[in-house]
Amino acid sequence: MLGMSANSVSYNEQGSVESGVDAAQENSSIPGSISSGGAASSLFSADYKKNEDLKEMLESNKESLKLEAMKRIVGLIAKGKNASELFPAVVKNVASKNIELKKLVYVYLVRYAEEQQDLALLSISTFQRALKDPNQLIRASALRVLSSIRVPIIVPIMMLAIKEAATDLSPYVRKTAAHAIQKLYSLDPDQKEHLIEVIEKLLKDKSTLVAGSVVMAFEEVCPDRIDLIHKNYRKLCNLLVDVEEWGQVVIIHMLTRYARTQFVSPWREDAVFDENSAKAFYDSEEERRVDQSKPYIMDPDHRLLLRNTKPLLQSRNTAVVMAVSQLYWHLAPKHELSIITKSLVRLLRSHREVQYIVLQNIATMSIQRKGMFEPFMKSFYVRSTDATHIKTLKLEILTNLANEANISTILREFQTYVKSQDKAFAAATIQAIGCCATNISEVTDTCLNGLVLLLSNRDETVVAESVVVIKKLLQTQPSQHSDIIKHMAKLFDNITVPMARASILWLMGEYCEHVPKIAPDVLRKMAKTFTDEEDIVKLQIVNLAAKLYLTNSKQTKLLTQYILNLGKYDQNYDIRDRTRFIRQLIVPNEKSGALSKYARRILMAPKPAPVLQSAFKDRDRFQLGTLSHTLNSQASGYLELSDWPAVAPDQSVRNVEVVEPVKETGAPALSKSKHAKSNEKFYSDSEEEDGEEEEGSNSEDSSSSSSEESVSESESEENSDDSNKSSSSQSEKSSSESDSEKKKTLKNKKPQQQKLDSKDRKQKNGNAVKVESRSESESGSESSSSESSSESGSELDSDSDSGTDQKKNTKPKPVQSKPVIKVEKKEVSLLDLDDFSPVPVTTPKSSILSPNLLSDLQGLLISPTASALQASSPVFVPETSHELLHRMTGKGLSAQYRFTRQPCIYGNSMVSLQLTLSNSTDQALENIHISEKSSTGQNIHRFNAIERLEPQASVTVSMGVDFNDSTQAANFQLCTKEDEFSVSIQPAVGELLLPITMSEADFTKEQGKLVGMNESSATITMTPENVSSQSVNRKVVSVANLGVIPSGQENIYRFSGKTVSSGSLVLVSVVLKDPDAVITINTEKTVMGSMLLRQVKTALTNSGP
């Protein structure tokens, strides 16, 4: 169901991960206390002795008694009883090691801490200790309770705890810190500046777990500080697809507001759109003329937001779909709005609460953009099971969609609705018919005739509503419809609804000149029943008498005086006042003022016809999907969308200096940027790939170490390049984890180490790599030895792939693949070098290494376990190809891609792909290449342009894509000389991994570090043919690119790998328990873990090969 806050859909702290950890334990505990039988029910009397028993149980040495006591106390609180006198006894247990007991104590403390402030302070020191606990769940729980104790005196302690938690290694604790920011701000708004500093730090967090929570804190504390978003804008856009659902809602609403302040309007008539727009009309003359002027081009960041939110329209969460829809409505070019239509219509199959919100938003949209929903008109037909408020909204939408083409269909539908047993709905239908008659002049007469027929309906509500609507319609052209007025006068005696009677009387008086014979007779009848009528009818009788007195005084003078006398003594003061006013206005005497001369002009003045318009006409002033839009009035905390700026602000504020190797590995190849020549940049992280061209460059490093370079040049070029690349990457990884002194030492000694590596490369395969292993990360899930090994293999392939082009080059040149099939064969054979078994770690004894360097390198060793993690060749390489471009769409050019599962030669964070291009036409295709206007979301290494592809010929090329450990598709343009085609590569989660090998003991150790939220498991029932070890291994490695770990137990199968982009460890184990099997996946990448678990489950439960 859609939940909504003042400015967006509500964000519940107990969502996603916390609901699993916190709410589950609380819910499992509380029912136990409530259903504990007769003893518990008698206990709820809050008897003094019973409370004494609880105190004794809490002071007992047995955990079970304490747990039972806490369950009963929480039960007391749930029943509304006062358990505050137990506070001292409960506080003593806050330091318990039992997680479930501690959880219940936290629940109690949050409830009574504000009332018992002095006693609550006793537990503060315990919470502060718990903030240092090695268990992330305990750290997070302590912070959550600490921030829930609303005691102003501990604000500084809370502030300190939040700052510490914001830098915690666990993303779960950082997420809790983001939630605590909002609580502290509501307790003490003076802390705003300090909290903004924490928010700024958390906004830079790369964890998808934290993103949604910190953006919510940003929206609560400082929604106007958009300068904090600039540097994080692109990161948030790219992370969006992997954030949990309620976080997605918050981020989308925030980015909607941000985009309205940073980009110019795409709704201008002279707008020109980029590659994601339709390309079918690019050849037309008009388009060429517009293209030459280009008065508006969409900002790439604007397009990035639209592109990255589009996949979320398929979300199972209705709030996410609604949030994306409102983003497109407020930000997208008008010709792209149609993509949200199907998603919104899909939501109409959901619960009625969801339908209500969605229909309200559709009603607002359909006023301005009828064409969006017209093809789905049948989806808005009313069903008998719909609630009245849903039916009314559907009527509103059908009325908005009505036009000359479909009005006959809609009116037939309305005829059925009028017969509904739901009186309110039938009345609303008649109003809808009136709106259609007003808006479409061609059917006005038809609608009027239909409404007149309804006047003879047995149902009073239908008749009354018909009269009211006819009255409004007749005001547009009364002279033509005197027959209808006569017909209504005949039915007057049978109509009992006051509003309908009043409407007929108003029509008689307003158009009495068109029915001069009937109007006086109606007034005569009314004079008889005046005292019995409702007040609204009496007022219209007085008005009718006054108008007839002015137009036909001979017949109605006495009647008018009689009615005015009756009104003079009526019980209602409104009628008495109206009577006195009318008498003075129309009956002249000495006391009459100047107004009596103008009585006819006042009473008989032409009235403007009422405009029948939608109730949603003015709701578009509020942002769609907000509480304010639903209520049609500004709710507290609503943040208005700003108008588009006339001139776009500087877009360079969103540029981020990339310092991480993950992002830049493939960047030099994609941008073809020249290598920098300074010594400082040569060793910096931003120049990671310079090492592969080192001896051929003219950098200052060459002149500073000429003797080493001469030795290096005498070696074979393959080895030299390989060692340089390895050294460069080792330096980068060392510097990312070690202190600054070690970094300096490594940089100063770099040429010596390169010389050693180039000499002993073949004898000490993997040895130097092990020495350079970086220090252990938070989860201990990865080591750089595996990454460095894969780099070595990649470097050899880089040399072979570039062929003679790189032979003895004197200038740096980006590595580019040749569009020849033979390249792939060479790549496979060279990568097989990784199969050589590594030599155990030994201390280097070369005289070239100084003692200082030796000690530094030894200090970088983390453990024997980490050193044992080695990259390996893929166990299984699927031959399946996926279609990238169909020959019909590509005008004869077809493209297929497959994942080679080999380390990518263009960058360590890239996934290697093999692309097969075929020409099925009878003419040669020229200049086949990937456009420069590729997706900004992923780093893509383009293949060299294919100058000519002969008819019926095929060519195979390789490329690399950095998917950033996400299954989001990589979008780019595949171009020929004449055409451009938008294509996308969608990776399976298993293709984002590289296999590694380790011992069984290392596997168990690493698995023990990745527990809790980093673990996903499921139990399945295996088919008999899948139980064999060969079958299990084959099915798992076919799904994911993992290495097989040798196992000493027959029923346990283990697999390991690492993510290509970040190098995070992924461990998979399958334990057979006849006839079931338990699949467990351990990884820091929780989203990838859950997706991989689903695929492995599917593979093992299928009986096929």
Side-chain angles (χ1 to χ4, degrees):
M1 165 182 170
L2 285 173
M4 301 196 334
S5 69
N7 193 45
S8 65
V9 187
S10 69
Y11 188 83
N12 187 356
E13 183 185 332
Q14 295 290 341
S16 70
V17 178
E18 291 183 356
S19 64
V21 177
D22 304 338
Q25 291 179 352
E26 290 173 16
N27 294 343
S28 65
S29 304
I30 296 170
S33 65
I34 296 174
S35 61
S36 54
S41 60
S42 63
L43 186 140
F44 289 149
S45 62
D47 183 38
Y48 176 75
K49 290 183 179 180
K50 290 291 183 183
N51 283 347
E52 283 297 315
D53 291 345
L54 288 172
K55 288 179 182 177
E56 289 177 12
M57 292 170 72
L58 288 169
E59 292 168 1
S60 159
N61 293 329
K62 293 184 178 180
E63 292 285 337
S64 58
L65 287 176
K66 291 181 180 179
L67 194 58
E68 181 63 26
M70 282 308 303
K71 286 181 178 180
R72 292 183 181 181
I73 291 169
V74 175
L76 280 171
I77 296 172
K79 296 284 282 186
K81 304 294 182 183
N82 184 12
S84 58
E85 63 180 25
L86 295 166
F87 198 96
V90 174
V91 167
K92 293 177 184 177
N93 292 286
V94 76
S96 170
K97 293 182 180 179
N98 186 312
I99 297 292
E100 190 175 359
L101 176 59
K102 185 177 285 192
K103 194 72 184 164
L104 292 173
V105 172
Y106 286 164
V107 171
Y108 180 91
L109 288 177
V110 173
R111 169 67 179 81
Y112 286 110
E114 215 165 348
E115 298 175 16
Q116 307 269 348
Q117 293 187 12
D118 294 335
L119 290 172
L121 295 176
L122 297 175
S123 59
I124 297 299
S125 59
T126 308
F127 290 133
Q128 287 179 295
R129 284 198 302 274
L131 289 170
K132 307 288 186 184
D133 195 279
N135 188 323
Q136 61 176 358
L137 298 181
I138 294 178
R139 295 201 300 275
S141 297
L143 179 60
R144 187 179 303 108
V145 178
L146 187 63
S147 60
S148 299
I149 299 175
R150 305 188 63 76
V151 183
I153 198 172
I154 67 163
V155 165
I157 298 175
M158 289 169 62
M159 190 72 234
L160 186 62
I162 289 173
K163 285 183 176 179
E164 288 182 359
T167 58
D168 196 281
L169 292 175
S170 166
Y172 178 55
V173 178
R174 300 198 298 272
K175 176 189 178 78
T176 309
H179 290 158
I181 289 172
Q182 303 163 59
K183 298 179 184 178
L184 180 54
Y185 179 68
S186 65
L187 179 63
D188 185 7
D190 295 336
Q191 299 291 326
K192 180 173 180 178
E193 291 305 316
H194 298 294
L195 291 175
I196 289 176
E197 292 176 10
V198 182
I199 289 173
E200 186 173 9
K201 186 184 300 180
L202 286 173
L203 278 171
K204 297 174 183 174
D205 201 300
K206 295 178 182 175
S207 172
T208 54
L209 201 62
V210 181
S213 302
V214 68
V215 170
M216 188 64 198
F218 170 83
E219 291 281 78
E220 289 289 330
V221 178
C222 52
D224 53 334
R225 286 289 305 275
I226 59 169
D227 57 295
L228 300 179
I229 304 299
H230 289 324
K231 299 290 185 186
N232 302 291
Y233 172 81
R234 291 169 185 162
K235 182 195 72 177
L236 287 172
C237 289
N238 289 323
L239 283 182
L240 196 56
V241 74
D242 292 322
V243 175
E244 39 88 24
E245 292 166 340
W246 295 111
Q248 288 173 342
V249 172
V250 175
I251 294 172
I252 289 170
H253 277 274
M254 185 275 292
L255 291 178
T256 304
R257 286 195 306 107
Y258 177 86
R260 284 293 284 260
T261 64
Q262 299 300 308
F263 309 127
V264 294
S265 172
W267 301 337
R268 287 159 42 183
E269 293 180 4
D270 57 357
V272 176
F273 297 98
D274 61 7
E275 72 273 3
N276 279 25
S277 303
K279 295 286 182 182
F281 56 95
Y282 259 68
D283 295 332
S284 67
E285 297 272 334
E286 298 170 14
E287 175 56 28
R288 281 187 186 135
R289 280 199 298 273
V290 174
D291 204 32
Q292 287 165 4
S293 59
K294 286 197 175 179
Y296 166 86
I297 295 180
M298 181 176 282
D299 190 300
D301 289 326
H302 192 170
R303 172 59 62 195
L304 175 68
L305 176 60
L306 294 175
R307 181 171 56 247
N308 284 11
T309 51
K310 183 178 176 180
L312 297 181
L313 288 170
Q314 310 302 322
S315 174
R316 63 183 179 181
N317 188 302
T318 52
V320 175
V321 177
M322 192 63 246
V324 177
S325 300
Q326 66 84 25
L327 180 139
Y328 263 79
W329 178 257
H330 293 298
L331 301 181
K334 292 185 177 178
H335 69 272
E336 294 183 28
L337 281 179
S338 56
I339 66 170
I340 67 174
T341 310
K342 285 186 179 179
S343 299
L344 288 173
V345 171
R346 172 172 63 86
L347 297 185
L348 297 181
R349 303 191 188 101
S350 191
H351 307 293
R352 63 173 60 177
E353 295 86 357
V354 174
Q355 289 182 46
Y356 178 68
I357 301 298
V358 174
L359 286 170
Q360 277 197 323
N361 287 280
I362 291 177
T364 302
M365 294 179 187
S366 61
I367 293 173
Q368 295 183 28
R369 306 281 297 173
K370 291 186 180 183
M372 279 177 64
F373 297 96
E374 195 176 340
F376 301 93
M377 194 170 68
K378 290 185 179 179
S379 300
F380 304 108
Y381 286 174
V382 173
R383 296 180 179 145
S384 58
T385 54
D386 287 338
T388 302
H389 61 280
I390 301 293
K391 292 177 180 176
T392 309
L393 281 170
K394 285 186 174 181
L395 267 182
E396 191 76 47
I397 294 167
L398 286 173
T399 307
N400 292 341
L401 296 180
N403 55 35
E404 291 84 350
N406 60 26
I407 186 63
S408 57
T409 308
I410 290 177
L411 286 179
R412 276 201 303 273
E413 193 73 15
F414 285 174
Q415 284 176 8
T416 310
Y417 299 164
V418 168
K419 301 171 186 174
S420 170
Q421 297 300 312
D422 186 339
K423 305 306 175 194
F425 173 54
T429 303
I430 294 169
Q431 288 279 6
I433 293 172
C435 286
C436 291
T438 306
N439 298 333
I440 304 170
S441 55
E442 289 84 349
V443 296
T444 303
D445 293 342
T446 308
C447 291
L448 262 176
N449 292 336
L451 291 171
V452 170
L453 291 175
L454 290 177
L455 293 176
S456 54
N457 196 293
R458 295 180 182 178
D459 189 353
E460 291 181 1
T461 312
V462 173
V463 174
E465 202 65 38
S466 300
V467 169
V468 174
V469 173
I470 288 172
K471 171 210 151 192
K472 292 177 181 177
L473 290 176
L474 288 184
Q475 284 184 258
T476 59
Q477 36 188 285
S479 57
Q480 302 175 19
H481 300 292
S482 56
D483 292 340
I484 294 177
I485 298 175
K486 293 175 184 175
H487 182 68
M488 291 170 73
K490 292 175 184 175
L491 296 172
F492 187 81
D493 292 339
N494 299 325
I495 296 173
T496 56
V497 177
M499 179 55 82
R501 291 173 70 86
S503 296
I504 293 176
L505 291 173
W506 185 90
L507 278 172
M508 294 287 172
E510 189 67 18
Y511 307 114
C512 54
E513 294 173 349
H514 298 292
V515 283
K517 296 181 180 178
I518 296 176
D521 194 50
V522 171
L523 183 63
R524 178 183 60 80
K525 290 181 180 179
M526 288 294 95
K528 291 181 181 178
T529 60
F530 183 87
T531 52
D532 300 325
E533 297 289 348
E534 293 289 333
D535 292 343
I536 190 173
V537 180
K538 288 179 181 178
L539 287 172
Q540 292 305 327
I541 293 173
V542 172
N543 286 346
L544 175 62
K547 290 173 182 178
L548 286 175
Y549 182 86
L550 293 173
T551 58
N552 190 2
S553 58
K554 291 182 181 178
Q555 284 183 288
T556 57
K557 185 174 181 179
L558 293 175
L559 270 176
T560 302
Q561 289 178 354
Y562 175 69
I563 289 171
L564 291 176
N565 287 332
L566 289 175
K568 184 178 179 180
Y569 301 104
D570 196 88
Q571 292 180 345
N572 187 296
Y573 56 82
D574 280 340
I575 296 170
R576 296 199 299 271
D577 290 347
R578 176 72 62 87
T579 304
R580 292 192 184 100
F581 168 70
I582 293 292
R583 187 189 296 274
Q584 293 298 321
L585 186 63
I586 65 173
V587 182
N589 55 36
E590 307 118 10
K591 297 180 181 179
S592 295
L595 274 181
S596 59
K597 299 176 184 177
Y598 305 102
R600 186 180 181 91
R601 291 176 61 183
I602 292 172
L603 289 175
M604 304 299 292
K607 279 77 171 179
V611 179
L612 296 175
Q613 64 180 15
S614 170
F616 291 84
K617 186 76 173 175
D618 60 341
R619 288 206 188 192
D620 57 353
R621 70 183 190 275
F622 297 113
Q623 185 177 349
L624 295 188
T626 60
L627 180 62
S628 298
H629 177 268
T630 303
L631 300 177
N632 199 22
S633 65
Q634 186 161 328
S636 174
Y638 173 74
L639 298 170
E640 288 190 4
L641 279 180
S642 61
D643 293 329
W644 295 100
V647 180
D650 182 16
Q651 62 179 358
S652 65
V653 294
R654 290 184 291 278
N655 293 340
V656 181
E657 300 258 345
V658 182
V659 289
E660 269 133 357
V662 171
K663 289 286 180 189
E664 14 178 322
T665 308
L670 180 59
S671 61
K672 299 184 178 178
S673 62
K674 300 274 185 178
H675 292 307
K677 307 261 175 163
S678 73
N679 194 31
E680 284 179 88
K681 289 188 177 179
F682 185 83
Y683 286 114
S684 68
D685 286 349
S686 63
E687 298 292 329
E688 181 186 354
E689 292 199 355
D690 283 2
E692 65 187 37
E693 310 292 344
E694 185 176 327
E695 66 272 17
S697 70
N698 294 323
S699 68
E700 291 173 9
D701 180 65
S702 302
S703 59
S704 65
S705 56
S706 57
S707 60
E708 283 81 5
E709 182 172 288
S710 61
V711 175
S712 179
E713 284 179 338
S714 66
E715 302 290 334
S716 68
E717 187 172 342
E718 278 189 17
N719 289 344
S720 177
D721 282 349
D722 179 55
S723 63
N724 292 335
K725 173 70 179 238
S726 179
S727 302
S728 176
S729 63
Q730 289 159 5
S731 163
E732 169 207 320
K733 297 189 178 179
S734 301
S735 64
S736 68
E737 296 288 340
S738 62
D739 57 28
S740 60
E741 293 176 7
K742 289 186 179 181
K743 180 161 52 173
K744 288 177 184 175
T745 307
L746 279 178
K747 288 179 180 178
N748 294 337
K749 305 297 182 180
K750 183 79 48 191
Q752 298 174 351
Q753 186 181 344
Q754 290 167 358
K755 184 173 179 182
L756 171 73
D757 286 346
S758 61
K759 266 187 166 184
D760 302 333
R761 174 70 177 90
K762 294 180 180 177
Q763 288 79 12
K764 297 182 178 181
N765 183 29
N767 183 43
V769 174
K770 294 180 184 177
V771 175
E772 307 302 332
S773 319
R774 61 183 170 86
S775 60
E776 190 169 349
S777 66
E778 170 204 344
S779 63
S781 62
E782 66 180 67
S783 85
S784 65
S785 61
S786 57
E787 294 181 27
S788 302
S789 296
S790 65
E791 288 167 15
S792 302
S794 302
E795 190 56 43
L796 285 172
D797 287 329
S798 173
D799 293 323
S800 65
D801 191 31
S802 57
T804 57
D805 289 346
Q806 279 192 349
K807 191 175 182 181
K808 309 271 184 178
N809 274 349
T810 58
K811 289 185 180 179
K813 181 177 178 183
V815 179
Q816 294 286 350
S817 62
K818 292 285 180 180
V820 182
I821 302 175
K822 291 180 181 178
V823 171
E824 300 305 321
K825 296 178 181 177
K826 234 180 218 183
E827 179 179 320
V828 174
S829 63
L830 282 171
L831 284 174
D832 289 342
L833 292 173
D834 284 336
D835 289 338
F836 292 170
S837 56
V839 179
V841 177
T842 58
T843 305
K845 295 183 179 179
S846 173
S847 60
I848 296 173
L849 285 176
S850 68
N852 289 337
L853 181 58
L854 278 174
S855 60
D856 284 342
L857 293 178
Q858 287 171 340
L860 290 175
L861 283 171
I862 54 173
S863 68
T865 301
S867 304
L869 303 180
Q870 293 292 322
S872 65
S873 295
V875 179
F876 172 81
V877 179
E879 295 297 326
T880 310
S881 293
H882 309 275
E883 186 173 76
L884 183 66
L885 180 66
H886 191 269
R887 59 186 177 81
M888 299 297 292
T889 313
K891 299 181 180 179
L893 174 65
S894 64
Q896 291 190 320
Y897 67 93
R898 75 178 187 90
F899 295 92
T900 64
R901 293 195 172 183
Q902 305 288 354
C904 185
I905 62 177
Y906 310 120
N908 298 323
S909 61
M910 288 189 172
V911 175
S912 180
L913 291 158
Q914 191 179 79
L915 210 60
T916 303
L917 304 168
S918 303
N919 181 4
S920 58
T921 65
D922 53 2
Q923 295 179 350
L925 296 173
E926 296 180 354
N927 192 22
I928 302 173
H929 63 281
I930 294 178
S931 169
E932 296 285 344
K933 298 185 290 183
S934 297
S935 162
T936 56
Q938 293 93 359
N939 190 5
I940 301 176
H941 183 284
R942 303 186 301 274
F943 57 82
N944 276 349
I946 299 169
E947 295 179 2
R948 185 179 178 87
L949 184 60
E950 296 299 330
Q952 307 304 320
S954 297
V955 66
T956 301
V957 293
S958 60
M959 62 183 291
V961 180
D962 185 354
F963 288 102
N964 295 319
D965 292 343
S966 166
T967 55
Q968 183 179 356
N971 302 304
F972 56 92
Q973 299 289 117
L974 187 60
C975 310
T976 61
K977 188 176 181 180
E978 293 85 11
D979 300 293
E980 294 184 356
F981 309 103
S982 296
V983 295
S984 64
I985 295 176
Q986 180 77 49
V989 67
E991 304 298 343
L992 303 177
L993 308 174
L994 283 175
I996 59 174
T997 59
M998 62 173 73
S999 66
E1000 190 173 356
D1002 291 340
F1003 183 95
T1004 308
K1005 183 177 179 180
E1006 297 295 337
Q1007 192 177 36
K1009 298 175 185 176
L1010 295 168
V1011 293
M1013 290 166 46
N1014 296 326
E1015 182 175 277
S1016 306
S1017 61
T1019 303
I1020 61 169
T1021 302
M1022 299 274 285
T1023 54
E1025 58 267 28
N1026 287 348
V1027 175
S1028 67
S1029 61
Q1030 187 179 3
S1031 176
V1032 172
N1033 288 342
R1034 186 180 70 251
K1035 284 184 176 291
V1036 173
V1037 297
S1038 65
V1039 167
N1041 189 15
L1042 296 169
V1044 180
I1045 306 298
S1047 175
Q1049 297 159 285
E1050 291 185 359
N1051 64 329
I1052 299 179
Y1053 305 95
R1054 297 183 175 92
F1055 309 87
S1056 62
K1058 65 173 183 177
T1059 59
V1060 175
S1061 187
S1062 65
S1064 298
L1065 206 59
V1066 178
L1067 304 177
V1068 179
S1069 61
V1070 180
V1071 181
L1072 300 182
K1073 298 179 181 177
D1074 194 33
D1076 296 333
V1078 178
I1079 307 168
T1080 306
I1081 295 181
N1082 303 80
T1083 179
E1084 277 184 336
K1085 301 287 184 179
T1086 51
V1087 176
M1088 290 184 70
S1090 59
M1091 294 171 70
L1092 185 58
L1093 180 64
R1094 284 199 297 270
Q1095 294 192 9
V1096 173
K1097 276 172 57 180
T1098 305
L1100 290 178
T1101 50
N1102 288 343
S1103 57

